[in-house]
């Protein structure tokens, strides 16, 4: 599990597949984020879970960036 959480290749693959699927007519996560930015009127629990599910790979990539920067700061 640690290998997955620290692998850029696997996390980017997850971002491009799970994070953006379905791709047409627009990425699913993008549509949900626009819905939230518009006030999230009518969103149910299922819609919020969907945002979490499709956004999780991007959260992993953000986590990995912070970890890499943190380690770079410790070296100096």
């Amino acid at each position: 599990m640690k290998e997955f959480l620290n692998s850029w290749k696997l996390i980017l693959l997850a971002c491009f597949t799970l994070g953006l699927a379905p791709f047409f007519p627009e990425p699913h996560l993008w549509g949900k984020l626009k819905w939230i930015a518009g006030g999230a009127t009518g969103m149910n629990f299922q819609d919020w879970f969907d945002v979490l599910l499709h956004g999780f790979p991007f959260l992993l990539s953000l986590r990995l960036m912070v970890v890499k920067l943190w380690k770079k700061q410790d070296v100096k």
Side-chain angles (χ1 to χ4, degrees), residues 20-32 34:
L20 296 176
F23 300 99
F24 298 103
E26 66 181 7
H28 195 61
L29 182 62
W30 181 249
K32 295 287 183 177
K34 288 190 333 187

Side-chain angles (χ1 to χ4, degrees), residues 6 9 12 16 21 28 30 32 34 37 40-42 47-50 54 68-70:
N6 293 322
K9 292 177 185 178
L12 288 176
F16 289 128
H28 195 61
W30 181 249
K32 295 287 183 177
K34 288 190 333 187
T41 306
D47 299 314
W48 288 105
F49 180 74
D50 205 27
H54 287 280
K68 295 290 184 182
L69 289 174
W70 191 281

